Amino acid sequence: MRQPDRIVRLKTILARTGLSRSTIYRKIAEGTFPPQIRISANGAGWRESDINRWVANPVAWRPRGEFDFDDRCRDG
């Protein structure tokens, strides 16, 4: 059984990517880094799976489309 996707905060993102805070937010605006998701009224984080995909291939990373499939949706 697959574990649920964790939500990670900015401190973890900075350590995992080696990017600065301003670079992360610039890349989000450009569409070349995973966007944040709201986790509370004053808090936000990132899906760990999105960050893992970005770390694996930052140059080719693109947001998943509505109809993109991942391992949870594949048969076989």
Side-chain angles (χ1 to χ4, degrees), residues 1-12:
M1 183 173 201
R2 188 176 172 149
Q3 292 183 337
D5 208 1
R6 290 182 351 142
I7 303 299
V8 292
R9 301 296 296 265
L10 180 60
K11 186 176 180 179
T12 303

Side-chain angles (χ1 to χ4, degrees), residues 63-74:
R64 284 195 172 138
E66 182 178 342
F67 299 106
D68 287 347
F69 292 98
D70 62 15
D71 293 337
R72 292 173 290 191
C73 300
R74 290 192 180 131

